Amino acid sequence: MHKVKYSIGQLAKESGCKVETVHYYEKIGLMPEPPRTEGGHRVYALPHVKRLTFIRRSRELGFKIEQIKDLLKFIDEPNHYCGEVRAMAMQQARTVQEKINDLERLHSALNDMVIQCKDSNNSIDNCPIVDSLFTKKATE
Amino acid sequence: MHKVKYSIGQLAKESGCKVETVHYYEKIGLMPEPPRTEGGHRVYALPHVKRLTFIRRSRELGFKIEQIKDLLKFIDEPNHYCGEVRAMAMQQARTVQEKINDLERLHSALNDMVIQCKDSNNSIDNCPIVDSLFTKKATE
DNA sequence: CCTTGAACCTATAGTTACTACAGGTTCTAT
DNA sequence: ATAGAACCTGTAGTAACTATAGGTTCAAGG
């Protein structure tokens, strides 16, 4: 199942990205410039597949490109320890938790609004949702 | 506390936006072109403050600009009923709930990784976080 | 060997919702 | 009258891609 050479299309498929995304990652220096065929087509190998998979998974976990660059630096350069990566993962977990909290506040605000607005045949002038959106948040 | 005329800076402050954002909203047709002074400075009134506050609050609730355009259409045009707005709020609540679910999955994935990685002095080659990021999600 | 069509190439523009200049004008307060 | 804050327009930049155009190369079938 593991090939030795991959076209860009195969690389993309294997790692779950689009071809354009690979081009983009190459342009911003996240993926290396691979060897080419005579005709100029990119030729990849297994390490490329792994690297791109790493990138895609990290993106799914909400890491920003710049953070991924840092993670890859740890991995590319020898003499690094797990602790640095662990710290980044913990920080990321905190960031995600904050986003969850924000969204939950938002979700209950929306639900409150919907509950307030029992009579859908109300004219728009009396709609409690519209009303509450015209109101400022904290200070007046 | 309620004035009759507002400069763009005052409008921005009252509604919690930046001046540049007001310019932007005018350019994309979310805010109307207001009257001007002799010298060309924009002059706003209370309805503008309310409208912009509505927009800012809706953005905070995660509505996209296009959705806000729809909401404002309901409000601007008479003969609309609360039901349309209510439906949009409910849909928005669902969307937000989905985002929360996604983030919670992500959060526990990150936490799992951190827990797996007990020994921070591990070399990077043995780091379980790095490992799991090199692994594909569902299918191999 | 030749052809055909899928896959590839580069470069550029578009997306979303702003933010940040630059370089000039107007307003306001002293 | 003048200083400087606030305003004006227009353009470019941000993040992380996606999409398009217009052309070239590759692989498979005849």
Side-chain angles (χ1 to χ4, degrees):
Chain A
M1 199 81 296
H2 280 328
K3 313 178 50 179
V4 180
K5 300 207 172 299
Y6 298 81
S7 71
I8 193 170
Q10 290 162 344
L11 169 71
K13 204 169 188 180
E14 284 286 314
S15 46
C17 295
K18 297 192 180 178
V19 171
E20 294 87 353
T21 309
V22 183
H23 286 153
Y24 173 68
Y25 285 163
E26 185 180 319
K27 198 163 65 188
I28 64 171
L30 207 53
M31 287 293 289
E33 294 183 24
R36 305 272 186 134
T37 62
E38 291 271 295
H41 287 199
R42 291 167 176 83
V43 181
Y44 295 95
L46 196 56
H48 295 109
V49 177
K50 290 195 171 187
R51 188 182 183 90
L52 187 52
T53 304
F54 181 93
I55 294 169
R56 202 218 62 218
R57 290 268 298 140
S58 302
R59 289 288 300 132
E60 280 176 6
L61 292 175
F63 286 97
K64 302 206 166 182
I65 298 278
E66 282 309 306
Q67 294 178 300
I68 298 175
K69 279 191 182 168
D70 289 343
L71 287 171
L72 286 169
K73 219 183 299 159
F74 294 150
I75 293 163
D76 289 343
E77 296 168 8
N79 294 73
H80 277 286
Y81 289 97
C82 204
E84 290 158 313
V85 174
R86 189 170 191 262
M88 283 187 69
M90 283 175 72
Q91 177 55 52
Q92 182 62 10
R94 274 193 294 276
T95 304
V96 168
Q97 185 61 59
E98 274 165 34
K99 270 190 210 160
I100 291 172
N101 294 343
D102 285 354
L103 286 177
E104 264 165 4
R105 247 178 277 119
L106 200 158
H107 189 247
S108 51
L110 284 164
N111 272 343
D112 288 354
M113 285 178 4
V114 170
I115 290 165
Q116 284 287 310
C117 176
K118 279 187 282 278
D119 183 3
S120 311
N121 290 321
N122 243 345
S123 121
I124 212 95
D125 304 327
N126 304 328
C127 178
I129 297 180
V130 171
D131 249 36
S132 74
L133 287 172
F134 271 119
T135 305
K136 285 174 225 167
K137 202 175 183 181
T139 53
E140 163 73 52
Chain B
M1 200 78 298
H2 280 328
K3 314 178 50 179
V4 179
K5 301 210 170 297
Y6 297 81
S7 70
I8 194 170
Q10 291 163 342
L11 168 71
K13 204 169 189 180
E14 284 287 315
S15 47
C17 294
K18 298 192 178 177
V19 170
E20 295 87 353
T21 309
V22 183
H23 285 154
Y24 173 69
Y25 285 162
E26 186 180 317
K27 196 164 66 186
I28 65 171
L30 207 54
M31 287 295 286
E33 294 183 24
R36 305 273 186 135
T37 63
E38 291 270 294
H41 286 198
R42 291 168 177 81
V43 181
Y44 294 96
L46 195 56
H48 294 108
V49 177
K50 289 193 172 188
R51 189 184 183 89
L52 188 53
T53 303
F54 180 93
I55 294 169
R56 202 218 63 215
R57 289 270 298 141
S58 302
R59 288 289 300 133
E60 280 177 6
L61 291 175
F63 286 96
K64 302 205 165 184
I65 298 278
E66 282 308 307
Q67 295 179 299
I68 298 174
K69 279 190 182 169
D70 289 344
L71 287 170
L72 287 169
K73 219 184 300 161
F74 294 148
I75 294 162
D76 289 342
E77 297 169 8
N79 296 73
H80 276 286
Y81 290 98
C82 201
E84 290 157 313
V85 173
R86 190 170 190 262
M88 284 188 67
M90 283 174 72
Q91 177 54 53
Q92 182 61 12
R94 275 195 294 276
T95 304
V96 169
Q97 184 61 59
E98 274 166 35
K99 270 189 210 160
I100 291 172
N101 293 344
D102 284 355
L103 286 177
E104 263 166 4
R105 247 178 278 118
L106 201 156
H107 188 248
S108 52
L110 284 163
N111 271 344
D112 287 355
M113 285 179 3
V114 171
I115 290 164
Q116 285 287 312
C117 178
K118 280 187 283 279
D119 184 2
S120 311
N121 290 320
N122 243 344
S123 124
I124 212 97
D125 304 326
N126 305 328
C127 177
I129 297 181
V130 172
D131 247 37
S132 73
L133 286 173
F134 272 119
T135 306
K136 287 174 224 168
K137 203 175 183 181
T139 53
E140 162 72 53

